Amino acid sequence: MAMDRNKQRKFGEDCWIKGVVVIVHDFGKSGPAKLASLQIYSATELDPKTGNEKLSKKAKLEEWRSKKKSDGSKISSYKVKLKVEKWFGIPGAFLITNQHKHKFFLRSAFFQISNHSQIIHFDCNSWVYPINLNASHYLFFSNTSYIPSQTPSPLMELRKLELIKVRGDGRREIMEEWENIYEYDYYNHVGNSQEHSRLIIGGSSSLPYPRRLRTLHPSNEDVAADERMSYNKVKELASNTVEAALQFLIPILKTLNCQPHIDHFKSFVELHCFFWAQKPSNLAKADKWTKLQIQKFLPQNLFQHILSQKHPFIYPLPQFLRENEHAWMDDDEFARQMLAGTNPVRITCLHNFPPESKTKVVSTIKAPDIEHNLDGLTLQQAIEDRRIFMLDHHDYLMPFLNRINSGDVFAYASRTLLFLRSDSTLKPLAIELSLPYSEAEGEEISWVYLPAAEGLEAALWQLAKAHVAANDSVYHQLVSHWLHTHAVVEPFIIATRRQLSVMHPIYRLLNPHFKDTLHINSLFRSFLLRPDGIFEKILFSGKYSMELSSELYKEWRFDEHGLPADLLKRNMAVRDPDPGNPTGVRLIFPDYPYAEDGLEIWTAIKTWVKSFCSIFYRDDDSVHSDEELQAWWSEIRNVGHGDKSHESGWYEMTTLSDLVEALTTLIWTATGLHAAVNSGQYAYASYPLNRPTLCHKFIPSEGTVEYAKLLSDPDKYYLEMLPGKFETALGVALTKVLSHHAKDELYLGRRSPYNWTDNARARYSFSEFSKELKNIEKRIEERNRDPNRKNRNGPAKIPYKLLFPDTSNFNPKGGIAGKGIPNSISI
């Protein structure tokens, strides 16, 4: 709110405003020096002559001090001094003009009215391009947050114009990198040839999908400059990718004479050697062919940077191999990973037996198949006691299988039933694998496999588990990881940029959780999701991957995406009427590491969000009357997720409770959920015996030639069913890259800079949030040490740390940490 008139005049008696502007120079380029100028808008006074905003005269930046960093970048602080007329008031915004030939990155600024202690902070983090390119000035608002109705009148029109500028007009086919324009688009994956053309995903009831950001040019995935990762992070990501390729992919390609055809590992020893026999290497010592392959995919400056790195590198073995290389065969570990592995979000508690599909096809698993294995309980008792669970990959896969199985990849739909022991561990009871029998009539043919420890039955059981793991791996990559975090969050980011002013408190709350996500998503589309991209090469869903993801989007509801609601939906928790339980739910058994740790993280986030929102919204009416907030929510529902706008599952956004629940769900998705399904990929999913992404064989039927091969050499048959060498190498390299945390990663509970808001109550609430996350760290460590919590480590001996906040770590070194919750979906 505007300060009272007398106080404003007191500030205005001295006619100088002094400030410091912090700029990061573009690499190898000179700074702006005096070729950059600045003007300040008053937040409290209008121009008495025109009735418009009061704007100071221009003042040039004067270099004060510089610091060169080890990475070659240079940070310079510039002084600026502006003479203003009396009663100018409090600075609320400033314009900066770049007349230099190079762009520069404006990190921050602060200004102080002479003879007064108040400092006005500006957190900018934006590229400023030369005016001869952009033909406009850059506007930045102070770190003071206002809901629209409380905006000081001198800033009201500037607030509106800022939003109009970033929305664009939707008519231009090509945009420039300096134009921070945000428009929506479909997933229109069209390759360069008819062979690689794909359907447009999104915009129809048959192929619904979240919208993505419209990129600068239809032929590439470039995003606006302010959404790009820092140059250091791009270098780190490129180096990490090249290292993974040199370590795993290039050696395999050479053995295949550079043709990525299917060539299987001949023995388990050969497969182990693929990991154990890695040698230190770097690009500088690589041969000419290898350098040429790498150079094709990198800009010249990045290629030269990686080429200059002299220190050899070698990756640590995946944790799964380091601790217990035979754990992949263990039934208990197979089951434990449904609770604490890289995809702990699919398992459900079964309320009715036998399971039944949406088309009313009843499972072929019979009561006698499992009753003997229920530790003395009857099947009815086990169901009533909530001790029968299911990993379900059946209904959504059935319509795709005839198309998927038309090549050299073979997949089933699957149901896996499990029993909860008295010590809270799960044991598998049965696996049902199904194929369409007569697709037109919806008929199926199914096979049921039961656990066995020796003989042919044991070999068949391992083959069945491999097919289930492949189902779960594909669901994990396409749905749990990509769709349910990266893709569903993107429309929220676009709507935030388009409908919420940077002055809006909700913009400031969310902005750290959106850092780098649009850029990362564009890279995903360029390399993973594109026709003939990595996902089509390593997942059994192949060229139907995006269609499959679209099919699962039909089941998605925002109001079921929060952790407590998700657990209730999957029957993994029940409602808890205890008012002392902030989550409102109680797990049906405690040793579910993802859910147990996740509920603590969820509660901490919700407490922080509620505290923050209560500072700016007095009551429900203030939420309902916030026109920016209402436009934001309407655009998310009707445009960003427009294919589901007519469905239930959206909060009305008329109460403070609606706002808190929606924001908690969004922040949880970008932080805790993404960390849980992403950071453990190298530990678990890099080893194809544990998490194959496709199978090259069905399980053979008795009396067939394939059955005879299985009888003759079960190990050979098993290895020939799994991904080949090239598919394995590509998958391992991918999981390594995806599991990598950047060196400058900011984890949940930390923000930069300290003065991200001038609201002392908000800063205090955030410090309490950080303290609670540190307390959660201690409780997670205690649970991991508890020998009675067997699902925290399991046969693989990997402590569950994927939701360990690591907020107390102020100097993360990056790499494959297997812990820490990044503030945003930044990989």
Side-chain angles (χ1 to χ4, degrees):
M1 296 293 292
M3 302 176 68
D4 66 76
R5 186 79 178 176
N6 291 332
K7 201 168 185 179
Q8 295 170 16
R9 290 182 181 277
K10 185 178 179 181
F11 284 153
E13 289 174 3
D14 196 335
C15 302
W16 291 99
I17 298 176
K18 298 179 181 179
V20 173
V21 176
V22 180
I23 286 172
V24 181
H25 298 184
D26 201 4
F27 283 78
K29 306 289 175 37
S30 58
K34 293 185 178 182
L35 293 174
S37 59
L38 185 144
Q39 294 174 274
I40 291 180
Y41 281 105
S42 172
T44 54
E45 295 289 330
L46 291 168
D47 189 319
K49 296 179 181 178
T50 65
N52 296 326
E53 302 86 5
K54 183 182 282 292
L55 182 64
S56 74
K57 293 181 180 180
K58 288 185 179 180
K60 294 187 180 297
L61 304 187
E62 297 184 6
E63 189 161 2
W64 177 31
R65 59 189 180 191
S66 295
K67 180 181 179 181
K68 194 167 184 179
K69 300 178 70 176
S70 59
D71 58 24
S73 64
K74 183 181 177 184
I75 300 176
S76 295
S77 296
Y78 293 81
K79 288 184 176 180
V80 63
K81 187 176 182 181
L82 301 101
K83 188 174 183 179
V84 295
E85 64 271 23
K86 285 186 177 183
W87 328 129
F88 182 83
I90 307 300
F94 72 85
L95 287 176
I96 191 166
T97 305
N98 179 12
Q99 294 178 310
H100 194 48
K101 61 183 178 180
H102 301 304
K103 64 182 179 181
F104 57 83
F105 188 77
L106 178 59
R107 175 182 286 181
S108 60
F110 65 85
F111 301 97
Q112 186 172 20
I113 304 165
S114 54
N115 298 324
H116 196 273
S117 60
Q118 183 179 7
I119 298 175
I120 314 299
H121 291 273
F122 292 74
D123 192 15
C124 305
N125 292 311
S126 181
W127 286 99
V128 177
Y129 279 77
I131 194 166
N132 65 310
L133 291 177
N134 192 29
S136 68
H137 311 284
Y138 287 81
L139 175 68
F140 298 95
F141 292 103
S142 76
N143 289 1
T144 305
S145 296
Y146 308 96
I147 61 175
S149 62
Q150 296 176 349
T151 307
S153 55
L155 299 179
M156 188 72 76
E157 194 63 25
L158 291 175
R159 181 173 186 148
K160 293 177 181 177
L161 291 174
E162 168 222 2
L163 287 174
I164 292 172
K165 184 177 178 181
V166 300
R167 289 173 190 154
D169 57 17
R171 301 174 187 172
R172 294 168 57 193
E173 185 176 356
I174 299 174
M175 294 178 286
E176 303 295 345
E177 64 179 78
W178 53 82
E179 297 180 290
N180 288 309
I181 292 176
Y182 298 86
E183 296 176 351
Y184 295 93
D185 206 346
Y186 301 116
Y187 281 74
N188 47 337
H189 292 286
V190 180
N192 295 323
S193 67
Q194 189 62 35
E195 179 187 359
H196 290 157
S197 64
R198 298 288 183 269
L199 296 171
I200 292 177
I201 306 295
S204 68
S205 58
S206 59
L207 290 170
Y209 218 64
R211 302 297 182 265
R212 66 175 179 91
L213 178 69
R214 184 173 165 229
T215 47
L216 301 181
H217 194 283
S219 65
N220 60 42
E221 287 289 345
D222 286 343
V223 295
D226 282 359
E227 298 297 341
R228 294 178 185 173
M229 293 180 286
S230 69
Y231 185 68
N232 280 339
K233 186 168 182 178
V234 171
K235 284 198 306 182
E236 187 177 352
L237 180 60
S239 297
N240 185 35
T241 304
V242 169
E243 290 168 6
L246 289 173
Q247 198 77 32
F248 300 113
L249 193 56
I250 296 296
I252 287 293
L253 276 173
K254 287 182 176 180
T255 65
L256 302 177
N257 296 318
C258 306
Q259 298 297 319
H261 60 275
I262 299 173
D263 183 29
H264 294 283
F265 292 100
K266 302 298 187 292
S267 66
F268 291 114
V269 172
E270 185 184 13
L271 177 57
H272 287 163
C273 285
F274 172 75
F275 292 94
W276 289 95
Q278 297 296 325
K279 297 178 180 179
S281 60
N282 60 19
L283 187 59
K285 295 184 178 180
D287 57 52
K288 184 176 180 180
W289 178 86
T290 298
K291 291 177 181 176
L292 184 62
Q293 303 312 306
I294 299 295
Q295 194 171 12
K296 289 178 183 179
F297 297 97
L298 290 177
Q300 187 61 25
N301 60 336
L302 286 179
F303 177 76
Q304 291 299 328
H305 164 75
I306 297 170
L307 195 63
S308 67
Q309 295 177 344
K310 304 300 182 184
H311 298 292
F313 53 80
I314 187 166
Y315 292 119
L317 283 168
Q319 279 180 281
F320 203 85
L321 274 174
R322 287 204 307 269
E323 305 300 336
N324 180 1
E325 66 181 77
H326 300 296
W328 64 274
M329 300 176 67
D330 194 302
D331 286 358
D332 285 0
E333 179 62 25
F334 171 72
R336 185 193 74 91
Q337 289 182 36
M338 301 176 197
L339 304 172
T342 197
N343 191 39
V345 294
R346 185 63 181 173
I347 188 171
T348 62
C349 181
L350 195 64
H351 281 186
N352 296 292
F353 184 89
E356 187 176 285
S357 71
K358 292 178 181 178
T359 58
K360 305 301 180 183
V361 177
V362 178
S363 169
T364 58
I365 301 175
K366 305 300 182 185
D369 293 330
I370 62 174
E371 282 179 322
H372 65 283
N373 210 5
L374 301 180
D375 292 2
L377 296 180
T378 66
L379 179 56
Q380 187 59 34
Q381 284 176 322
I383 292 286
E384 291 175 358
D385 292 349
R386 298 189 180 96
R387 296 180 70 174
I388 304 295
F389 294 80
M390 179 169 66
L391 184 69
D392 187 3
H393 294 294
H394 181 274
D395 287 9
Y396 71 90
L397 276 175
M398 287 300 292
F400 288 88
L401 290 178
N402 281 339
R403 288 183 287 167
I404 289 172
N405 292 335
S406 61
D408 58 7
V409 171
F410 300 95
Y412 298 96
S414 66
R415 293 187 182 101
T416 304
L417 296 191
L418 307 104
F419 175 72
L420 181 68
R421 299 185 181 101
S422 57
D423 63 358
S424 290
T425 61
L426 293 172
K427 66 175 176 180
L429 297 172
I431 291 173
E432 179 187 48
L433 301 180
S434 303
L435 292 172
Y437 180 69
S438 175
E439 191 170 26
E441 300 177 12
E443 295 181 4
E444 303 174 8
I445 182 170
S446 301
W447 300 263
V448 175
Y449 297 91
L450 304 178
E454 57 186 10
L456 179 61
E457 288 75 15
L460 293 170
W461 175 244
Q462 291 296 340
L463 295 179
K465 285 199 299 181
H467 274 281
V468 170
N471 284 177
D472 202 54
S473 293
V474 168
Y475 184 93
H476 164 254
Q477 288 293 10
L478 293 179
V479 182
S480 302
H481 181 211
W482 165 252
L483 175 63
H484 284 174
T485 62
H486 289 259
V488 300
V489 165
E490 185 157 350
F492 286 86
I493 302 175
I494 302 170
T496 301
R497 303 291 190 242
R498 287 168 51 87
Q499 299 297 342
L500 297 182
S501 165
V502 296
M503 304 170 74
H504 201 292
I506 303 306
Y507 184 103
R508 295 199 191 279
L509 173 71
L510 292 176
N511 195 45
H513 305 297
F514 294 160
K515 186 177 185 294
D516 297 338
T517 301
L518 293 179
H519 194 180
I520 284 294
N521 282 6
S522 76
L523 293 176
F524 262 61
R525 291 190 291 268
S526 295
F527 295 101
L528 271 65
L529 300 173
R530 68 176 177 83
D532 205 36
I534 293 176
F535 275 178
E536 291 197 2
K537 286 182 168 66
I538 67 171
L539 303 181
F540 72 70
S541 47
K543 64 182 180 181
Y544 305 107
S545 293
M546 287 301 292
E547 287 183 64
L548 187 61
S549 180
S550 170
E551 186 65 26
L552 271 300
Y553 178 59
K554 294 176 182 178
E555 300 179 1
W556 179 81
R557 287 175 49 137
F558 183 73
D559 66 348
E560 294 177 342
H561 204 54
L563 180 57
D566 170 63
L567 293 169
L568 289 172
K569 178 184 178 182
R570 293 188 287 117
N571 300 318
M572 300 299 288
V574 295
R575 296 191 183 278
D576 186 355
D578 182 359
N581 181 352
T583 66
V585 301
R586 176 173 51 82
L587 294 175
I588 60 174
F589 65 97
D591 195 10
Y592 182 2
Y594 160 74
E596 191 173 22
D597 295 357
L599 285 172
E600 289 207 48
I601 301 296
W602 169 273
T603 301
I605 293 172
K606 187 172 183 178
T607 302
W608 150 238
V609 168
K610 185 176 181 179
S611 175
F612 179 87
C613 290
S614 298
I615 295 171
F616 299 95
Y617 294 98
R618 299 182 306 276
D619 49 32
D620 293 343
D621 185 62
S622 58
V623 172
H624 185 60
S625 62
D626 183 338
E627 63 264 27
E628 283 186 14
L629 184 71
Q630 295 302 322
W632 172 74
W633 190 245
S634 175
E635 185 166 292
I636 289 165
R637 176 174 179 172
N638 296 306
V639 183
H641 284 282
D643 295 339
K644 301 185 78 67
S645 61
H646 61 285
E647 300 177 6
S648 56
W650 297 100
Y651 299 108
E652 292 300 319
M653 203 53 70
T654 55
T655 66
L656 182 58
S657 176
D658 285 347
L659 178 61
V660 170
E661 202 68 29
L663 294 174
T664 303
T665 298
L666 183 54
I667 294 172
W668 158 256
T669 302
T671 58
L673 178 58
H674 183 257
V677 299
N678 180 66
S679 298
Q681 292 200 62
Y682 188 66
Y684 287 102
S686 62
Y687 192 45
L689 295 177
N690 184 56
R691 299 280 295 179
T693 56
L694 55 80
C695 291
H696 286 290
K697 289 176 179 288
F698 284 133
I699 299 178
S701 299
E702 190 172 357
T704 63
V705 173
E706 290 294 295
Y707 192 80
K709 291 180 180 178
L710 173 63
L711 290 174
S712 174
D713 192 337
D715 287 354
K716 181 181 179 183
Y717 191 94
Y718 188 86
L719 289 169
E720 288 180 351
M721 188 180 78
L722 294 183
K725 292 178 180 179
F726 173 74
E727 295 156 336
T728 296
L730 191 56
V732 173
L734 176 64
T735 61
K736 195 276 174 190
V737 173
L738 294 179
S739 301
H740 187 95
H741 287 184
K743 293 176 182 177
D744 62 351
E745 198 75 69
L746 272 181
Y747 290 133
L748 189 65
R750 295 186 60 204
R751 292 189 73 140
S752 180
Y754 168 75
N755 292 304
W756 60 275
T757 176
D758 70 350
N759 190 293
R761 285 177 61 194
R763 290 201 302 270
Y764 174 77
S765 293
F766 187 75
S767 70
E768 292 297 298
F769 173 52
S770 298
K771 289 178 185 176
E772 176 57 16
L773 290 173
K774 293 173 185 177
N775 291 332
I776 291 172
E777 289 177 10
K778 295 175 183 177
R779 293 195 289 270
I780 289 175
E781 288 178 330
E782 289 173 2
R783 288 195 287 267
N784 282 345
R785 289 193 297 266
D786 185 349
N788 294 319
R789 295 177 183 268
K790 297 182 179 180
N791 294 325
R792 306 291 307 191
N793 294 272
K797 300 178 182 177
I798 303 176
Y800 189 75
K801 292 187 176 182
L802 298 179
L803 285 172
F804 185 86
D806 214 21
T807 307
S808 56
N809 183 0
F810 285 89
N811 295 294
K813 298 179 181 179
I816 303 175
K819 64 178 181 178
I821 302 175
N823 245 338
S824 63
I825 303 171
S826 55
I827 189 60

